Amino acid sequence: MTSVVLGASMLSACTEDKKLASDAKLEKAKAAKAAAHAKLSNAATAKANEVGDIPVLMYHRIVAKPAVADDRTPAQFRAELERLAKEGYVPVTAAEYVTGRINIPAGRHPVVITLDDSSPSQLTLAANGEPTPDSAAGIIREVAKRYPGFRPVATFYVIRDLFQLHDSSDQRQALAWLAANGFEIGNHTKDHLDLSGKSQDQVTQQIAAGHALITGLGAPAPITLALPYGNTPRKPQWAATGRAGSTSYVNKGVFRAGYTPAPSPFAARFDPLAIPRIRAGNSGGNCEQFCSQGWLDSLKQNPADRYTSDGAPDTIAVPAHKAEEVNNKLRTKVLAYKPT
């Protein structure tokens, strides 16, 4: 009799365990369904479009008296950054963009700020170790302080004339300050040589020398390259990987000079070896249409065309009708919602 009672008790306990496991599984499924619904709801509320276009803005000297079309005054640079902040843009570095690490709040838009040629107008450190107020770095940090959520980051594409610093210890200090403060240091070749039509050896030597210049001063190895004059080598792959002497390089993103917004890194049309940038400017010739002011105007007037985040970096949120625009290799991350 005792064994019969014991067996019945064990059977009852086993049944209860199965019921608890089933209930737990059901609750887990409900929680997962609720979380998925919340993500879809959040994406729809944000009007997320993570295959939309991203402005990659190209700046050069920031000087009080512009001498060439690519120069901007401190006031012009500050005004454009303020416009970006007011219109919901959040800066990301070139490296973050090309690797898809776009972790910004829902409803906001990424922008990549790039500065070519390492002019002293971009970074000059004062006696207190901080950038001068009207330098590009100083202005970026100033605007970020006044507009919470506007990240003080940019990508500086440097060449051998490193901010016109001739002492290696001063050069090292400048690059260390950039790296310590969240700025990316990118490769622009050592001598700013036009790479179009050059041999493979010439191309790899210039890029490797730029890479060695940066790492030799203690800065992180660059993973993005801005092509001098925006000109692509005869074989684009030469800009992505190569070796000269003891220096090898791997660039996950190669940037050109114009003249359109760049595709999302999640889009099927994204080409990491030919990323377009937008020249800074607002007037003169075709600049009104193809420079920064014109394109920012266009993206503002056509918000469905630009990249808008859902705030969840683990998914690629898109309106359902844009799901086919996502790179096939990334389809498992797609969160497709029906716009309301």
Side-chain angles (χ1 to χ4, degrees), residues 31-42:
K33 185 176 181 179
H37 178 76
K39 283 187 175 183
L40 285 169
S41 178
N42 290 341

Side-chain angles (χ1 to χ4, degrees), residues 43-333:
T45 300
K47 297 182 179 179
N49 176 19
E50 296 184 339
V51 288
D53 289 339
I54 298 173
V56 180
L57 304 180
M58 179 180 64
Y59 297 93
H60 290 80
R61 298 194 310 166
I62 308 299
V63 291
K65 296 181 179 180
V68 296
D70 283 338
D71 291 347
R72 307 298 286 159
T73 68
Q76 289 171 329
F77 185 58
R78 184 178 286 107
E80 189 144 86
L81 296 185
E82 289 175 344
R83 173 183 181 169
L84 292 169
K86 291 174 183 176
E87 293 183 6
Y89 286 94
V90 178
V92 298
T93 66
E96 289 171 333
Y97 159 65
V98 300
T99 57
R101 292 182 287 117
I102 303 177
N103 188 4
I104 64 175
R108 304 295 287 274
H109 323 290
V111 60
V112 184
I113 298 167
T114 66
L115 299 113
D116 287 9
D117 304 346
S118 49
S119 158
S121 68
Q122 297 170 4
L123 177 67
T124 294
L125 296 177
N128 64 358
E130 291 296 304
T132 53
D134 273 351
S135 67
I139 294 170
I140 291 169
R141 282 160 63 87
E142 172 215 320
V143 172
K145 285 181 181 179
R146 290 191 286 110
Y147 292 89
F150 190 79
R151 295 176 68 217
V153 302
T155 300
F156 288 75
Y157 284 110
V158 303
I159 56 176
R160 68 177 180 179
D161 188 16
L162 275 166
F163 310 111
Q164 290 187 8
L165 298 170
H166 305 295
D167 186 274
S168 61
S169 63
D170 291 338
Q171 295 174 345
R172 186 178 291 270
Q173 179 189 15
L175 295 191
W177 186 91
L178 288 172
N181 286 278
F183 293 98
E184 179 190 1
I185 302 160
N187 191 348
H188 199 32
T189 75
K190 184 178 181 180
D191 300 313
H192 203 270
L193 180 71
D194 186 343
L195 302 181
S196 64
K198 300 297 187 294
S199 68
Q200 183 175 5
D201 283 347
Q202 289 173 305
V203 171
T204 55
Q205 284 171 11
Q206 272 296 308
I207 299 174
H211 186 99
L213 171 70
I214 294 167
T215 57
L217 290 168
I223 64 166
T224 64
L225 170 75
L227 295 164
Y229 310 103
N231 292 334
T232 304
R234 193 163 65 250
K235 293 189 177 181
Q237 188 61 34
W238 296 348
T241 59
R243 183 181 186 89
S246 61
T247 302
S248 59
Y249 58 86
V250 177
N251 291 309
K252 295 185 178 181
V254 178
F255 291 81
R256 305 185 72 181
Y259 288 99
T260 66
S264 161
F266 310 129
R269 61 194 177 91
F270 173 67
D271 181 354
L273 301 186
I275 302 169
R277 292 190 289 170
I278 301 169
R279 174 183 159 199
N282 57 5
S283 62
N286 62 7
C287 199
E288 292 185 14
Q289 180 179 357
F290 294 112
C291 292
S292 54
Q293 179 173 299
W295 276 116
L296 291 175
D297 287 347
S298 177
L299 290 172
K300 183 178 181 180
Q301 293 160 10
N302 301 280
D305 292 343
R306 67 183 170 185
Y307 185 116
T308 300
S309 173
D310 71 338
D314 58 327
T315 58
I316 301 170
V318 295
H321 66 279
K322 288 183 176 288
E324 292 300 315
E325 296 180 22
V326 179
N327 187 317
N328 283 331
K329 295 179 181 179
L330 302 173
R331 290 288 172 84
T332 57
K333 293 186 175 183

